[in-house]
Amino acid sequence: MSLDLFSILGIDAGAVAPVVTTDKNAAKKKQASDKGSGKGDTKGAKLMVKPKSAIRRYETQADIRKMLVGLDWTVHYAMHSFPVADLGRRLVEMNDQDIEEVKAALWAMVPQDVKDDLEKARQAKAEAEAAAAGGNAEATGEKLSENSDAESDEEDDLEFNEEEGEVVQKKPEPQRATETKIPEVQEGELTVDMLRLTLALDYFEFANEEAVAWRVDKENKRLTPSISAGKMGNNFPAYQAFHWKLSEFEKAPSKPINYVAGRDGRLYEIRENAHLKVTVAARMVPALESVTEGVSFKMDKIPGMFLKQTLDFFKHFVPEQREAFVYVARNRSTVTYELHCPEQWANRDNVDAEYPDDPERDIVLIMHSHHVMPAVFSPKDDRNDKALCVYGVFGQLDKPTIDHCFRAGFNGHYLYLNIADVFDAESTYSACTFPPEWVDRVHPYV
């Protein structure tokens, strides 16, 4: 019997990986045990030493989050380099404005406590520099005083050297300069935490601030975040790309974040590195604007008089249990609504109408009746209702409460409406009913 590679290695390829938890106390005990047994000896091993420039000068990650950085810094994450200038513009949604305007907008978002700490650091630095300058002046004054009294104190500068057997000049004691520690002041336009919030728009793992640890390299003006636990403008940022076709994406230079439109009407997000490419359905594209499904009339609601005439017309055929059809059109010349009854052929279950070819009128609403049956769109209605339009059906016209259903859409995509969204119930209309000639336009279904 042949075995596959996983079986040879003793790996169950179909097993679910267990959740690994770490016992900190056990880890410490093992470390102590290894040290005692010599297992922890690193003699001969090559130690990895961080470069001096990468050593952060902050006690806690909370201090780093409040640290100010300039727009000339970069953030290195997921094998990509993100200019802070691009992230800053994204944060304030100022992709095209002057850089000074961007700086001003960013500074307005910096927390007040950070601004207060910066001002205190500036004052402390000024005081330290003044103290250092005063100490140097005092040391210079003491030097001049010593020179003026050199002759009178000459004997104090002599000593007897027992080895040489003679009096010699004393060796001068080294002068200790006055040391004044000058505090470091970190200037910048935005805080590290503001950068984290911007990155979180595309990398959800940055949403939890406690999960993000930062390494600061001031010499190279570089920030390197690491994630310790879990994942959480009008133009695309420089590190994003959008493609209508997958073939275009495959030919173009890869960006850290790529969006590709699919034939199924969805957007897909693609990220890749040197050894992996992952494609997922996009849950959110922050660089785009919010779009909400809905229906809205660009003109006023349809007059309520049309609704009354339509119901009177449909009720006329209830005794015969025959369907009927009408439509509302917009007259392009007068920019008004018109109610029309076309030539049609109907029976109990079907109605086919003849649409006139009229370039001066656009059909806005199509309505038909189901006489005594429920007002439910049938599979045939679904096949027919493909044009950009509002569709309505009325049923149970023999009862006090008339059943109705309205929807709008195109190509088989529908959004259902309330009848009050379509008709103006408060509009005034005459008591007249539908024109009598409409009855003659309804023919037996063949």
Side-chain angles (χ1 to χ4, degrees), residues 23 37 59 63 73 106 135 169 187 202 240 348 372 387 405:
D23 185 342
S37 62
E59 295 182 358
D63 294 332
W73 282 56
L106 288 169
Q169 189 79 20
E187 303 279 356
D202 300 304
Q240 293 184 1
R348 185 179 187 279
V372 299
C405 186

Side-chain angles (χ1 to χ4, degrees), residues 216-237:
V216 180
D217 182 351
K218 287 193 172 183
E219 182 177 335
N220 296 303
K221 296 185 177 182
R222 178 185 303 160
L223 291 165
T224 306
S226 60
I227 310 300
S228 59
K231 284 244 179 186
M232 301 290 303
N234 296 333
N235 298 325
F236 278 86

Side-chain angles (χ1 to χ4, degrees), residues 45-301:
K46 184 177 180 181
L47 299 179
M48 300 299 292
V49 181
K50 292 181 180 179
K52 185 177 180 181
S53 62
I55 299 176
R56 58 184 176 86
R57 301 180 184 178
Y58 300 88
E59 295 182 358
T60 65
Q61 284 293 321
D63 294 332
I64 295 181
R65 287 195 290 268
K66 295 172 63 176
M67 170 185 161
L68 287 167
V69 296
L71 298 184
D72 54 344
W73 282 56
T74 56
V75 177
H76 289 255
Y77 182 69
M79 300 182 67
H80 295 284
S81 178
F82 302 90
V84 169
D86 291 346
L87 296 174
R89 286 183 178 277
R90 174 103 184 268
L91 183 61
V92 294
E93 297 182 353
M94 299 175 67
N95 291 330
D96 302 321
Q97 284 85 338
D98 182 77
I99 193 65
E100 295 302 323
E101 296 180 25
V102 176
K103 290 181 178 180
L106 288 169
W107 184 249
M109 297 179 64
V110 173
Q112 188 58 46
D113 63 327
V114 175
K115 296 179 180 179
D116 294 340
D117 291 344
L118 177 62
E119 186 59 30
K120 291 177 182 177
R122 288 173 176 170
Q123 293 177 1
K125 182 178 181 181
E127 293 173 358
E129 290 176 343
N136 292 335
E138 183 178 348
T140 303
E142 292 177 356
K143 179 77 174 179
L144 294 174
S145 177
E146 290 175 0
N147 291 338
S148 62
D149 297 335
E151 295 180 0
S152 60
D153 297 336
E154 185 177 353
E155 294 181 358
D156 295 335
D157 295 335
L158 302 177
E159 66 179 0
F160 181 73
N161 189 329
E162 294 180 356
E163 294 182 359
E164 301 293 336
E166 59 183 12
V167 177
V168 296
Q169 189 79 20
K170 287 183 179 180
K171 293 182 179 180
E173 295 182 0
Q175 295 289 333
R176 292 186 178 181
T178 303
E179 294 184 1
T180 301
K181 186 177 180 180
I182 300 177
E184 181 183 11
V185 179
Q186 179 64 37
E187 303 279 356
E189 285 76 38
L190 71 168
T191 64
V192 172
D193 199 56
M194 291 165 65
L195 291 174
R196 177 189 65 81
L197 294 174
T198 309
L199 288 166
L201 296 174
D202 300 304
Y203 295 91
F204 292 175
E205 57 266 37
F206 282 87
N208 181 7
E209 66 176 19
E210 298 299 330
V212 184
W214 296 88
R215 190 171 76 244
V216 180
D217 182 351
K218 287 193 172 183
E219 182 177 335
N220 296 303
K221 296 185 177 182
R222 178 185 303 160
L223 291 165
T224 306
S226 60
I227 310 300
S228 59
K231 284 244 179 186
M232 301 290 303
N234 296 333
N235 298 325
F236 278 86
Y239 54 87
Q240 293 184 1
F242 175 83
H243 303 276
W244 278 112
K245 295 182 178 180
L246 182 62
S247 57
E248 295 176 355
F249 161 73
E250 292 173 344
K251 296 177 182 178
S254 179
K255 296 288 186 73
I257 301 174
N258 305 274
Y259 294 102
V260 178
R263 181 176 293 178
D264 56 3
R266 304 181 67 180
L267 281 179
Y268 291 88
E269 184 175 340
I270 302 178
R271 302 192 188 192
E272 61 182 341
N273 53 29
H275 61 276
L276 186 67
K277 181 173 80 170
V278 176
T279 303
V280 299
R283 290 179 292 174
M284 181 179 68
V285 185
L288 299 180
E289 297 177 351
S290 297
V291 179
T292 304
E293 286 187 332
V295 179
S296 60
F297 283 92
K298 293 185 176 181
M299 294 175 57
D300 294 334
K301 293 181 181 180

Side-chain angles (χ1 to χ4, degrees), residues 295-303 306 328-338 360-365 390 420-424:
V295 179
S296 60
F297 283 92
K298 293 185 176 181
M299 294 175 57
D300 294 334
K301 293 181 181 180
I302 297 173
F306 291 176
V328 177
R330 180 185 72 95
N331 188 309
R332 294 185 180 183
S333 301
T334 61
V335 195
T336 57
Y337 291 120
E338 299 174 350
E360 292 299 317
R361 289 170 173 80
D362 300 315
I363 297 178
V364 177
L365 169 63
V390 178
D421 298 328
V422 180
F423 290 98
D424 182 5

Side-chain angles (χ1 to χ4, degrees), residues 403-444:
D403 193 15
H404 64 273
C405 186
F406 283 81
R407 66 185 183 182
F410 56 89
N411 289 349
H413 301 283
Y414 307 112
L415 295 174
Y416 287 84
L417 307 173
N418 189 297
I419 193 170
D421 298 328
V422 180
F423 290 98
D424 182 5
E426 298 182 0
S427 62
T428 58
Y429 54 86
S430 63
C432 68
T433 182
F434 63 92
E437 60 268 23
W438 283 11
V439 176
D440 297 332
R441 297 176 186 174
V442 180
H443 311 287

Side-chain angles (χ1 to χ4, degrees), residues 319-345:
E320 305 174 36
Q321 293 192 8
R322 183 188 295 187
E323 295 189 0
F325 178 100
V326 297
Y327 68 88
V328 177
R330 180 185 72 95
N331 188 309
R332 294 185 180 183
S333 301
T334 61
V335 195
T336 57
Y337 291 120
E338 299 174 350
L339 181 61
H340 294 271
C341 176
E343 296 289 334
Q344 54 195 279
W345 294 260

